[in-house]
Amino acid sequence: MRNRSTIKYWLRRGILFIFVFLQLQFLYAQNDFMMRNGRMYLRINKKSTEQELNNFIADFDLKDLNLKDFIKSNNLATLQKLGWKIEQNTESIAIISKKLEAAEGMNNSAKRITINNKSDPIPVCDIRFGINKFRNKIFTVDGNTVTFFLKNNTNARKVMLAGSFNNWSPGALPMKKTADGWIAQVNLKPGKWYYIFIIDDQWSIDTDNYQRENDGQGNINSVYYMTNTLFVCNGFTDARKVFLAGSFNNWNQKELPMTKVSKGWILAMYLPEGTHTYKFVVDGNWYEDAGVKEKLPDGAGGYNSVIRFGKPYLFKLNGFTNARQVVLSGSFNSWREDELYLAKTATGWELPYTLGAGNYEYKFIIDGKWMSDPASVLSSTVSGNSFLIIEPNYTFRLKGYKNAKRVFLAGDFNNWDPQAYAMKKEGDDWVFPVHLGIGKHLYKFFVDGDWIRDPNNKLWEQNEFGTGNSVVWIEK
C-alpha cells in the first residue's frame, strides 16, 4: 500500500497534468472562449476558414471586435479600444484577454462597466425576435416578475444577481438560498436583458443558459428575454413536431420548435415593435393561426397570420385616383409585391402599417409600375427608393464646410447610398438624424461629389479602397 506522501505526490501530479492539458487544449484547439482568474480569453485561429470564423463570431456575438479586419491587417485599434489585451499574436494564432471588472483600478470583481439605464431593456432594433433557451431549468414568470434561478452552488457563502436591470450594481440584489440553488425576483419590461451571477465575489455567466453574447464592451453576458407574446397552436396533439416560422426568422421552418401541452403547442417569444407575419409548420404542413383574425396574403393563394406591436405609420400617395391598384413594397416586408395593398380614398391612396424604430426603404407599385414616393424628401436618384426614418436617435454633424453646395450622409445604415440622405444646413454645420442600433457603424460624407471622412472624428478604420471610413459607436 502506498503511504500518504506518495498518494499526495501523485495527486498533485494528476492535478498538474489536468491543468496543463486544459491549457494546451485551449492553446491548440480551434477558435475558443474561456474565463479564468477573473479574465475572459479569446483564442483566434488565423488559419480558420471563413465559415469557421463566421460561426465563432455568431456564437459569441463578436461582430463588434471586427476580427476579420484584425486577421487581415493585424490592426489592433478596435480591440484595444474595447480594453482587450494582446496575450499572443503570431502568424497563425492570436490570444486576447479582458478583465471581467471595470478598468478603473477596482479590486472588487463585482464592479462593472455601466452599459444601460436602470429600468430599460437593451435596445433590440437590429433583432427580429428573442426566445429563451435553458438547459434543465426555467425562469418562472408571474406578471412582470421574473424569478432568476441559479442551480447548485449550495456551498457558496453568498450569491448576487447583477444585470442591465439594476445598472450592474453588485450589492443591490442578493439571491436567496434554496434546496436546489439560489433565486432572486426582478420586475422587468418586455425586451432583452443582460445578467451575470456573482458567486462569492466571482463573476459567472449562467452555464445553464445557451443565450450569451458580447455586450458591445467586450464582456460576455447571459441573455434573458422578457417575452411579450405567447404563440398558441391549438389541436394537433398527435403531431410529432410543430414549428413556428415567420417574417421575424426569414420563414425558417425548423428554427423555432414549439412545446407540446395538453391542448396543443406553445412558444413564448419577444418581438420588437413592428408588423410580423407567421404560420405554424405541423409535421411539414403549413397552417394559419386559427385564433388570430388579421391576415395578409402569403403570395401562394393563402394567408399569413399577423401580429403587431407599436403605433402604425400612415403611408399616403396623393393622386393616381384612376389607378386600379397600388401596392406598398419595402425593406420592411422583403420587397413583397403582393402583400400590402393600399386603400383608395377621395384624394389618393393610403395604408396604415406598424413599424418599429429604424431606417427603411420603400416604393409604391402603381398598376405594376414601380415608383418612389413623390412626397418623400428622402428619395435616392441612384436606387430610386424612398427612405423613411422612424425614431432617430443619433444626429450626424459635419463642421467646416459652410460653403458646400450639397452634402449627403452615407454609411452601413443606408447601404452607402450617396444621394439618399441629404443633410440640412444648420448655421455653418450640416446635420442629419438617423436611427442607429447598438454597436459600431461606418460612415462618410459625400460633399459636392467627393467622399470625405468626418474631419472632427478621430476614430476611423481602413476600407477596401484604401480611403478609410469614419466610425461611430452606439453604446445604449
Side-chain angles (χ1 to χ4, degrees):
M1 179 181 294
R2 292 173 177 168
N3 59 35
R4 290 186 177 181
S5 61
T6 303
I7 294 173
K8 289 180 179 179
Y9 169 79
W10 285 106
L11 181 60
R12 287 195 298 268
R13 290 292 299 271
I15 293 173
L16 178 62
F17 171 78
I18 292 172
F19 177 77
V20 172
F21 172 78
L22 291 175
Q23 296 293 317
L24 291 175
Q25 185 182 45
F26 180 63
L27 184 60
Y28 294 107
Q30 292 296 314
N31 300 308
D32 204 358
F33 158 81
M34 70 180 296
M35 291 192 292
R36 186 175 71 247
N37 298 329
R39 296 187 72 87
M40 296 177 293
Y41 291 83
L42 291 179
R43 180 195 182 281
I44 303 143
N45 182 356
K46 296 183 178 180
K47 304 298 183 182
S48 298
T49 65
E50 183 173 2
Q51 187 59 52
E52 288 171 341
L53 190 58
N54 287 339
N55 291 341
F56 181 57
I57 293 171
D59 287 344
F60 295 100
D61 193 24
L62 302 174
K63 56 183 179 294
D64 293 336
L65 301 188
N66 205 10
L67 293 180
K68 292 183 179 180
D69 177 69
F70 165 66
I71 291 174
K72 182 179 179 181
S73 65
N74 208 35
N75 184 357
L76 307 178
T78 298
L79 299 177
Q80 292 171 335
K81 176 183 181 295
L82 291 173
W84 289 88
K85 178 183 177 182
I86 310 302
E87 301 285 352
Q88 179 178 339
N89 187 22
T90 68
E91 183 178 349
S92 58
I93 294 172
I95 297 178
I96 61 176
S97 73
K98 187 177 189 296
K99 287 185 179 180
L100 288 172
E101 61 203 39
E104 300 165 349
M106 300 179 182
N107 295 322
N108 185 351
S109 63
K111 293 185 178 181
R112 296 273 288 198
I113 300 171
T114 299
I115 64 168
N116 198 63
N117 292 331
K118 185 173 182 180
S119 60
D120 293 330
I122 303 298
V124 290
C125 53
D126 297 326
I127 297 178
R128 293 191 172 188
F129 70 91
I131 60 172
N132 296 307
K133 296 181 181 179
F134 288 100
R135 173 174 47 213
N136 302 322
K137 77 175 183 184
I138 59 172
F139 287 174
T140 58
V141 180
D142 183 8
N144 294 327
T145 303
V146 180
T147 300
F148 284 73
F149 177 38
L150 170 65
K151 287 174 53 181
N152 303 322
N153 293 279
T154 53
N155 293 327
R157 298 185 306 276
K158 65 175 180 178
V159 178
M160 312 298 289
L161 176 64
S164 53
F165 40 76
N166 68 351
N167 213 27
W168 298 103
S169 175
L173 198 53
M175 300 190 75
K176 181 180 179 181
K177 191 174 183 179
T178 68
D180 301 319
W182 301 77
I183 62 172
Q185 293 184 328
V186 185
N187 289 327
L188 297 180
K189 299 177 183 178
K192 176 182 178 181
W193 301 88
Y194 290 142
Y195 71 98
I196 283 284
F197 296 123
I198 309 171
I199 306 170
D200 288 339
D201 296 325
Q202 295 296 314
W203 289 89
S204 174
I205 58 174
D206 188 344
T207 56
D208 290 316
N209 186 350
Y210 292 108
Q211 302 280 40
R212 62 188 67 165
E213 65 181 51
N214 190 304
D215 62 9
Q217 300 286 346
N219 303 304
I220 303 299
N221 297 314
S222 296
V223 177
Y224 178 75
Y225 288 97
M226 183 62 169
T227 59
N228 57 359
T229 187
L230 180 66
F231 288 95
V232 179
C233 178
N234 288 318
F236 301 104
T237 54
D238 294 330
R240 297 186 302 276
K241 292 181 179 180
V242 177
F243 293 87
L244 174 68
S247 56
F248 38 77
N249 76 331
N250 294 319
W251 297 96
N252 186 329
Q253 59 181 305
K254 293 186 177 180
E255 182 182 17
L256 300 173
M258 303 186 73
T259 301
K260 191 174 184 179
V261 294
S262 60
K263 296 183 180 180
W265 303 76
I266 62 172
L267 178 63
M269 179 181 290
Y270 171 76
L271 289 174
E273 288 190 348
T275 301
H276 311 279
T277 55
Y278 67 97
K279 279 186 178 179
F280 300 124
V281 187
V282 183
D283 289 339
N285 298 310
W286 296 73
Y287 293 90
E288 302 168 26
D289 186 345
V292 172
K293 293 183 179 180
E294 186 176 4
K295 304 179 187 301
L296 286 172
D298 63 4
Y303 292 90
N304 296 320
S305 300
V306 178
I307 185 170
R308 301 176 188 268
F309 293 98
K311 298 179 180 179
Y313 176 85
L314 185 62
F315 286 91
K316 296 182 68 174
L317 176 65
N318 292 322
F320 300 94
T321 53
N322 293 326
R324 299 184 303 275
Q325 176 181 279
V326 177
V327 179
L328 172 66
S329 181
S331 57
F332 40 76
N333 75 332
S334 300
W335 296 97
R336 286 272 306 276
E337 304 178 35
D338 51 8
E339 182 184 48
L340 303 179
Y341 295 88
L342 278 74
K344 194 171 186 179
T345 67
T347 58
W349 302 78
E350 65 181 35
L351 173 71
Y353 189 76
T354 303
L355 290 171
N359 310 306
Y360 303 97
E361 300 178 51
Y362 70 98
K363 278 184 178 179
F364 294 120
I365 310 173
I366 304 171
D367 291 338
K369 183 179 179 180
W370 293 71
M371 66 170 289
S372 59
D373 184 352
S376 174
V377 296
L378 298 178
S379 292
S380 171
T381 58
V382 176
S383 65
N385 298 332
S386 296
F387 287 79
L388 174 65
I389 301 173
I390 303 289
E391 296 183 19
N393 62 350
Y394 185 86
T395 298
F396 286 92
R397 182 177 297 271
L398 174 63
K399 295 177 177 291
Y401 285 82
K402 65 179 182 179
N403 295 324
K405 296 179 180 178
R406 301 193 72 188
V407 178
F408 294 87
L409 169 68
D412 53 16
F413 40 81
N414 72 343
N415 295 319
W416 291 97
D417 193 317
Q419 295 186 8
Y421 288 4
M423 303 184 74
K424 293 183 179 180
K425 197 80 172 292
E426 187 178 276
D428 291 338
D429 301 342
W430 296 85
V431 299
F432 194 90
V434 298
H435 186 91
L436 297 180
I438 283 181
K440 182 179 72 174
H441 296 276
L442 305 177
Y443 71 99
K444 268 188 170 180
F445 299 115
F446 194 60
V447 182
D448 291 339
D450 295 323
W451 290 96
I452 68 166
R453 295 201 309 265
D454 188 343
N456 296 291
N457 182 0
K458 295 181 180 180
L459 187 60
W460 66 279
E461 65 180 41
Q462 195 57 272
N463 58 25
E464 64 270 32
F465 306 109
T467 58
N469 298 318
S470 295
V471 177
V472 60
W473 287 84
I474 303 298
E475 297 182 356
K476 61 182 179 179

